Amino acid sequence: MRKHWILRLVAVFLGFTLLAAACGNDSSDGDAVEQDGGDTGGDTGGDGGDTGGDTGGDTGGDTGEDGGEDTVDLVQGGSVLAKVQDAGVVECGGNDTLPGFGIVDADGAFSGFDIDFCGVIAAAVLGDASAVNVTPLLAAQRFPTLQSGEIDVLIRNTTWTASRDGNEQANFLHTTFYDGQGFMVRDDSSIATLADANNASICVLTGTTTLLNLNAVLADRGIAFTPVTFESNDELNPAFQAGQCEVWTSDASQLAAFAATMDIPTRILPEIISKEPLGPVVADGDTQWAQVVNWATMATIQAWEFGINQENLSSFTDSEDTNIRRFLGLPIVDGDGNESIAEVGLGLPTDFAWNIIEQVGNYEDIFNRNLAGIGLTLAGSPNDLWTNGGLQYVPPFR
Amino acid sequence: MHYVSAGPGEAHGHTTNWGDVSMIRFLLAVLAVAVVLTGVYVVGRLIYDIVQLIGERRRSKNDAALPPLWRDVKALGIAAQIGVLAIIVAVIAYLRSNFLTRAEDIGLNLSFDFLDQPAGISIADNPLGPNDTVSEALTQGFLNTIRVILIGIPAALILGTLIGIARLSSNWVLQKLATGYVEFFRNIPPLVVIIVMWRVVFLEGFPRSQEAWKPLGGWFIFSNNRFAFPSLLGQDNFDAFRLILLLGLLAAAAVAVWRTRVFNETGSPHHRVLWGVGTFVGIATVAYVALGAPIATSKPALDEAGRVFSGGLRMQMPYAALTTALVIYTATHIAEIVRGSILAVHRGQVEAANALALSGFQRYRFVVLPQAMRIAFPPLINQFLNFSKNSSLAIAIGFSEVTSLVNDLFGQSQPAPQLILILMLFYLTLSLVLSAVGNLINRRLQVVGR
């Protein structure tokens, strides 16, 4: 009696799984087809002023199709902007071991230059700079994580290179920090220039362009060396301090950041062997999201150029300058007395720049808040504004 | 224009190891073939079962005792197989379509052409250069993994066996020490053991190479960068000497066999180890003198700046830290297996050995351990596999084995999905080979046991 009951249960279960499997196959095929159709439509429709309309259509269609299955939406493409607005949070890939740029404190709170730019994007898109979820990533993990769609944007002292643009399906946006690869030694070391480092052991992080530069440049200059590669600065830092390697190579800003926290006196060699432009990165295939992240980032620099910062922002509500009013999303009065608010059609709210400056600040605010403490100065560096002879130059906001 | 052909000495300038490109592609091909064959086998078996069932039911159609189809155990069994198969296929199909959709969305390159691209990385103490290809780099990383395993597994086995025996010792101090060691290290995750061993013992415990510690008149060099030991170096006539040593080994084996036969026929003590070693040492000594000292000792040296180690046998510090930590960790598990297996040997065996007045050593060597090892071997294979897989934790402490190397390659914009697939294949192949060897040894042991 009992046995029959069990067998029947098994049969029912099997029938059910068979059915489920069959349905699963059907629906996934269907999804794929629909998705393709949707993409084609969007592409042919052009990407001019219809961005807002497209977003609405996509969101509606998606929710209608598969209800609560967010994962399917996320993985199978669609608009990242709509996903972020829907979730109410920006998923940001960051660093958790680099003082000044991205570091986590004892309470699990992230802070730093890169982390602030995550906040800039959240302030622009969602109007709330704290609506950020930072995922700490190791160097080697960051591109696979970005490719998988697990994070919306990667801001983790990541160098813009051709092979990453090409091979990693990464879309690099406006450079937030111009850096270069440098070398650090103990103060009592016999190494004065790079040429003295022949045969030395050099500590370097795995999964970085630093290792590639190191190999290429030192091979060209005929300098032999032993690479000692670590996955994380948590191990590399003690290895350098204990003298397992004589030289530590990394982006010069990182070396400065670590030197500031070290007990032993150190020295940075005069050579900078590479260009390392660091900035936010998004995955290929979503131009709209890339534009949103790009313009949100550049707004901090435009604000700096206009002289608008976190403190004096409120004094600009009655600014006479049309460009500033346009930038901040303030109403512009024409000759007939009609008020209008400029709409640039990026899919961002009209007051996105206002929110960014109010909640996070302009570029100078962000730089001084995070990097002044580790001994980096803005004035005279490549990161200064173009009007001061630096490299920070952004297209006009109109 | 003057053309100089490469002499025999220059032929080894570039490192090409047993056709590395073909090796990785071969592994991938083997995987594909294995997957297809498994699929064909499973489906074929299922169809065979169904045909059998239909035939059976048709033959006994008029048999009143025949249960209806939904109560036929065989039919239900087939249905269950189909169900499980459908679930597996559905899950794989879902994951695959998910992956491919995303890959197409962002334009991921899924080919394996990157294997022939320059890797752009170099490894400590390895001839691999930045212009060598990705597959050469992967091969060198794989060889580094094997270097850890080749030294580590035998060391863990020996240490574990000794500790396992010590845990059963009647010496109170020894027994408690062994128990403490096992309980301490067995209950710590291997990554923590590795990092602590690297950080506390090796990194902070040894001086930096500028202030290296050179005990015994500089025959040993210890620093937190590298270790160096004296080694033997071949001189003139080295090839001839090596050949004679090989012949000497054969002669020693022949002598041992002869002594065994004498023992079996006459019962006089065989002393075959003594005779064998004596033969070998005798031949080696004569050859050494006759060939005019074909080998010399090589003393390690370190330059003034404390950077270049030369001569002797050199070892990277992370390698030493990793191997030591893994041996210490794995030995605890092996010790527990050995202890359990010794306890599983029937008490009558020990009593019989005592009744024969065998010494404590003889009792273990001839009676207990051979039987215990027979019981211990299958679970020991498991520990060997764990050892080989735990070697991937070296990534934390900077030893360039294959996992760490794959991470290096990620940094050079080499594609992650393909590299992870190759990495999985490496570990799969390694584990399958290890367990195949282990099973062979195990079968030999079991045959002896009748």
Side-chain angles (χ1 to χ4, degrees), chain A residues 211-236:
Chain A
L211 183 61
L212 184 73
N213 288 335
L214 181 70
N215 276 305
V217 172
L218 268 62
D220 289 348
R221 299 192 187 179
I223 301 173
F225 70 103
T226 303
V228 184
T229 55
F230 288 96
E231 193 186 23
S232 160
N233 283 325
D234 288 339
E235 278 81 34
L236 193 153

Side-chain angles (χ1 to χ4, degrees), chain A residues 28-261:
Chain A
S28 70
D29 287 347
D31 274 0
V33 172
E34 279 169 44
Q35 199 65 53
D36 286 346
D39 278 359
T40 337
D43 285 351
T44 43
D47 43 28
D50 312 327
T51 358
D54 273 3
T55 325
D58 277 0
T59 338
D62 281 355
T63 30
E65 270 162 35
D66 18 55
E69 288 181 86
D70 279 346
T71 41
V72 176
D73 280 355
L74 190 156
V75 178
Q76 299 210 337
S79 164
V80 180
L81 179 61
K83 199 213 91 185
V84 169
Q85 284 166 341
D86 205 31
V89 63
V90 175
E91 295 288 342
C92 189
N95 202 336
D96 58 344
T97 59
L98 182 57
F101 284 87
I103 193 150
V104 67
D105 67 15
D107 302 327
F110 287 86
S111 63
F113 183 82
D114 283 349
I115 308 294
D116 273 358
F117 274 98
C118 295
V120 163
I121 294 161
V125 176
L126 304 167
D128 178 8
S130 63
V132 173
N133 185 19
V134 179
T135 307
L137 296 171
L138 293 168
Q141 292 172 341
R142 51 194 163 174
F143 287 108
T145 312
L146 185 69
Q147 287 160 6
S148 75
E150 212 177 309
I151 52 174
D152 302 323
V153 58
L154 172 72
I155 313 184
R156 191 203 171 283
N157 46 289
T158 302
T159 306
W160 184 356
T161 69
S163 67
R164 285 178 169 174
D165 236 338
N167 289 340
E168 303 278 20
Q169 280 61 52
N171 192 350
F172 283 83
L173 305 170
H174 186 83
T175 300
T176 53
F177 194 93
Y178 292 96
D179 213 335
Q181 182 174 347
F183 296 84
M184 178 163 71
V185 294
R186 286 162 166 254
D187 199 32
D188 60 5
S189 165
S190 62
I191 300 173
T193 65
L194 198 51
D196 301 332
N198 198 19
N199 293 319
S201 287
I202 301 182
C203 274
V204 58
L205 273 192
T206 180
T208 60
T209 49
T210 324
L211 183 61
L212 184 73
N213 288 335
L214 181 70
N215 276 305
V217 172
L218 268 62
D220 289 348
R221 299 192 187 179
I223 301 173
F225 70 103
T226 303
V228 184
T229 55
F230 288 96
E231 193 186 23
S232 160
N233 283 325
D234 288 339
E235 278 81 34
L236 193 153
N237 195 356
F240 174 74
Q241 295 197 44
Q244 184 185 352
C245 45
E246 272 186 88
V247 187
W248 179 351
T249 181
S250 186
D251 292 349
S253 64
Q254 294 196 29
L255 295 178
F258 281 106
T261 63

Side-chain angles (χ1 to χ4, degrees), chain A residues 81 85 120-121 123-126 288-289 291-297 342-353 356 397:
Chain A
L81 179 61
Q85 284 166 341
V120 163
I121 294 161
V125 176
L126 304 167
Q288 185 196 20
W289 176 243
Q291 286 170 347
V292 163
V293 174
N294 211 14
W295 284 96
T297 308
E343 166 62 69
V344 284
L346 288 169
L348 282 168
T350 48
D351 60 348
F352 77 96
I356 291 172
F397 277 65

Side-chain angles (χ1 to χ4, degrees), chain B residues 151-215:
Chain B
I151 301 294
I153 287 182
L157 183 62
I158 293 169
L159 182 65
T161 309
L162 292 178
I163 300 284
I165 294 171
R167 281 207 71 181
L168 295 171
S169 164
S170 51
N171 182 329
W172 190 86
V173 175
L174 189 62
Q175 190 216 333
K176 292 298 170 202
L177 271 179
T179 308
Y181 164 80
V182 167
E183 292 304 336
F184 185 75
F185 283 106
R186 194 173 59 142
N187 295 307
I188 299 178
L191 180 61
V192 177
V193 177
I194 290 172
I195 290 185
V196 168
M197 181 64 65
W198 169 75
R199 178 87 192 261
V200 178
V201 178
F202 285 86
L203 188 64
E204 310 285 355
F206 289 98
R208 32 190 204 128
S209 56
Q210 285 79 11
E211 301 148 6
W213 180 46
K214 301 173 183 171

Side-chain angles (χ1 to χ4, degrees), chain B residues 153-391:
Chain B
I153 287 182
L157 183 62
I158 293 169
L159 182 65
T161 309
L162 292 178
I163 300 284
I165 294 171
R167 281 207 71 181
L168 295 171
S169 164
S170 51
N171 182 329
W172 190 86
V173 175
L174 189 62
Q175 190 216 333
K176 292 298 170 202
L177 271 179
T179 308
Y181 164 80
V182 167
E183 292 304 336
F184 185 75
F185 283 106
R186 194 173 59 142
N187 295 307
I188 299 178
L191 180 61
V192 177
V193 177
I194 290 172
I195 290 185
V196 168
M197 181 64 65
W198 169 75
R199 178 87 192 261
V200 178
V201 178
F202 285 86
L203 188 64
E204 310 285 355
F206 289 98
R208 32 190 204 128
S209 56
Q210 285 79 11
E211 301 148 6
W213 180 46
K214 301 173 183 171
L216 300 177
W219 281 92
F220 292 84
I221 303 177
F222 295 101
S223 76
N224 67 9
N225 185 296
R226 282 192 188 80
F227 297 157
F229 309 99
S231 69
L232 297 176
L233 199 64
Q235 306 286 326
D236 295 342
N237 293 333
F238 181 61
D239 286 340
F241 185 63
R242 215 158 32 174
L243 189 69
I244 293 176
L245 284 190
L246 192 69
L247 292 176
L249 267 185
L250 288 176
V255 169
V257 168
W258 167 65
R259 288 307 302 170
T260 311
R261 198 171 296 158
V262 169
F263 167 73
N264 286 341
E265 281 166 8
T266 67
S268 64
H270 53 66
H271 295 310
R272 56 187 169 201
V273 174
L274 205 64
W275 275 82
V277 170
T279 311
F280 180 73
V281 169
I283 292 176
T285 314
V286 170
Y288 184 83
V289 173
L291 290 172
I295 50 172
T297 49
S298 164
K299 183 177 176 177
L302 180 60
D303 71 347
E304 295 247 324
R307 290 182 194 151
V308 187
F309 285 73
S310 52
L313 188 70
R314 299 176 299 278
M315 188 190 279
Q316 291 170 57
M317 186 278 271
Y319 172 83
L322 174 76
T323 313
T324 317
L326 281 181
V327 164
I328 284 180
Y329 174 78
T330 312
T332 60
H333 292 269
I334 292 179
E336 284 301 273
I337 292 170
V338 168
R339 183 178 70 104
S341 309
I342 290 175
L343 289 177
V345 174
H346 198 277
R347 263 191 63 190
Q349 298 285 330
V350 178
E351 285 164 4
N354 285 338
L356 287 173
L358 296 185
S359 72
F361 173 75
Q362 284 173 322
R363 192 177 73 219
Y364 266 112
R365 166 68 186 81
F366 296 109
V367 179
V368 178
L369 275 186
Q371 300 185 64
M373 276 304 171
R374 208 170 291 157
I375 304 167
F377 211 79
L380 279 185
I381 299 174
N382 241 339
Q383 292 306 323
F384 299 160
L385 296 186
N386 282 347
F387 187 102
S388 68
K389 285 178 287 185
N390 283 341
S391 69

